[in-house]
Amino acid sequence: MSSEIPEHLLGTEQHRKSRDLSEYLVHMTTSPQALASIVTSGRVEARNRFGIGRGLDMVAEKHEAACFTEMPLSELDRLRDRGKSWGIAFKRDFVLQHGGQRVWYLDINGSPYQALHGLKEVAFDHRDWTNPVWDITPFVDQRNPGSYAFEWEREWRVVGGLRFDLEDVVLLIGLDGVEPLLHEKFSVGAPYYDAHDMTYQWDGGTIPEVGANMETTLDEFHSTYLTPDNAGIPYESEDGYMWLGCAISIETEDALEDLLPEAPWEVKAALADHLNQISVEWALPEEVDPRDDETTNKNEDTPVN
């Protein structure tokens, strides 16, 4: 597969011609749908516990981590054989800045493992759940004699998962075809109007499955916020919508920030571009004045003594 990878994506800055080194860390997943979810959420989630303290519920959160591989891009097809054909790559320094660390595979009979295990046991016996040893244990796996060796994965972990914007992503990867898909330039697409169905559909851009995620997000937005017309906000030709006393006006960008606080800014910008064509202001249903027109008219027609 190395012949299919562009030269500038192989090696490192210090050793550009080396084919056994990489300056990227890649999170691999099982499907384009899973990759699309990562792209639109801006997060590689920490879904499982890892490390030699993972069995202790008292420090469970310290061992929940997202996993990455430092394998050269030319070797990623080894993970395809394990059912992971789609990936997202970041510069190693970016992951390091967000708490990422290499995984240590220590021989259970070796002195380094025994020393660390001893520190862990002391902390456990004293119920010392703030001991610094728990900051190390998520990055350490024990290796038993004769057991399967995982060192070839060159694994890194980020406790708590990795939050990112799309500008932090170096590469989107697809390996389920005959030739690898390597997207260095990508987008979340944009909506288009389907004249047949008279509805908007979202073209997912680089990863088509992103479109379904964006449409789901739009549905969530429309179920959370109302346009001024749907909220019954009075409108005057000279002054526009008369929000005072009716509801609090929320600009599109602010509404998206409240709804999607961790989403990449690029995702929120693409959604805002579309939503602003519908309305630049929105209202929360629970904040709209519940008085209806019939009640208002009744009050207006009641004579004042």
Side-chain angles (χ1 to χ4, degrees):
M1 180 175 165
S2 59
S3 61
E4 301 165 339
I5 306 298
E7 288 288 322
H8 69 277
L9 294 177
L10 296 172
T12 65
E13 187 174 340
Q14 295 86 359
H15 304 282
R16 185 55 63 191
K17 294 184 179 181
S18 297
R19 296 299 175 261
D20 59 336
L21 299 174
S22 175
E23 58 188 8
Y24 307 111
L25 297 181
V26 182
H27 174 80
M28 296 295 292
T29 189
T30 56
S31 67
Q33 291 82 6
L35 179 60
S37 179
I38 292 171
V39 168
T40 54
S41 69
R43 188 170 186 83
V44 181
E45 295 184 356
R47 295 185 173 180
N48 297 298
R49 300 184 198 175
F50 297 93
I52 59 175
R54 65 184 180 276
L56 299 174
D57 290 340
M58 295 72 70
V59 287
E61 287 189 4
K62 289 180 177 289
H63 293 81
E64 294 171 354
C67 298
F68 300 80
T69 177
E70 197 179 5
M71 282 196 299
L73 299 177
S74 58
E75 303 300 322
L76 287 178
D77 52 356
R78 297 183 188 180
L79 292 175
R80 177 174 56 184
D81 297 337
R82 301 184 64 189
K84 296 186 176 182
S85 299
W86 297 84
I88 183 168
F90 305 89
K91 279 291 188 73
R92 183 176 57 240
D93 288 346
F94 173 77
V95 177
L96 189 63
Q97 291 166 7
H98 288 76
Q101 292 291 331
R102 290 182 177 87
V103 175
W104 309 345
Y105 293 98
L106 298 182
D107 186 343
I108 194 172
N109 295 319
S111 56
Y113 176 81
Q114 293 298 324
L116 183 58
H117 179 71
L119 294 173
K120 178 175 76 75
E121 290 300 299
V122 170
F124 176 81
D125 291 342
H126 288 82
R127 301 299 188 264
D128 183 2
W129 310 124
T130 61
N131 192 293
V133 72
W134 306 119
D135 295 326
I136 301 174
T137 52
F139 305 102
V140 179
D141 281 358
Q142 68 183 43
R143 182 179 178 185
N144 298 304
S147 64
Y148 184 82
F150 288 93
E151 287 92 336
W152 62 271
E153 291 188 4
R154 302 187 188 183
E155 186 179 358
W156 283 58
R157 292 173 186 157
V158 180
V159 172
L162 181 67
R163 162 79 176 83
F164 63 88
D165 289 315
L166 298 188
E167 64 186 2
D168 303 315
V169 179
V170 175
L171 199 64
L172 297 179
I173 301 166
L175 301 177
D176 68 339
V178 177
E179 296 184 359
L181 300 176
L182 304 172
H183 301 290
E184 294 182 73
K185 296 181 179 180
F186 50 87
S187 75
V188 294
Y192 66 93
Y193 185 72
D194 188 326
H196 177 73
D197 295 331
M198 292 189 295
T199 60
Y200 279 99
Q201 305 291 328
W202 198 283
D203 181 348
T206 308
I207 305 294
E209 289 75 10
V210 164
N213 287 36
M214 299 294 276
E215 289 178 7
T216 298
T217 301
L218 285 173
D219 289 342
E220 184 181 1
F221 185 94
H222 288 299
S223 67
T224 304
Y225 297 97
L226 299 173
T227 64
D229 291 335
N230 290 337
I233 307 300
Y235 181 83
E236 293 187 0
S237 57
E238 292 185 1
D239 299 322
Y241 289 103
M242 310 299 290
W243 289 91
L244 185 62
C246 298
I248 297 175
S249 169
I250 307 173
E251 293 184 356
T252 303
E253 290 77 7
D254 292 335
L256 285 169
E257 189 63 34
D258 289 340
L259 186 67
L260 307 168
E262 292 193 343
W265 68 263
E266 298 93 339
V267 169
K268 287 181 279 195
L271 291 168
D273 284 346
H274 170 62
L275 290 167
N276 278 331
Q277 297 179 48
I278 301 172
S279 176
V280 296
E281 297 176 294
W282 305 81
L284 288 167
E286 60 268 25
E287 294 183 354
V288 175
D289 190 323
R291 293 176 299 174
D292 56 28
D293 293 338
E294 182 179 349
T295 302
T296 302
N297 293 335
K298 181 178 179 181
N299 291 336
E300 291 176 350
D301 294 338
T302 301
V304 178
N305 293 328

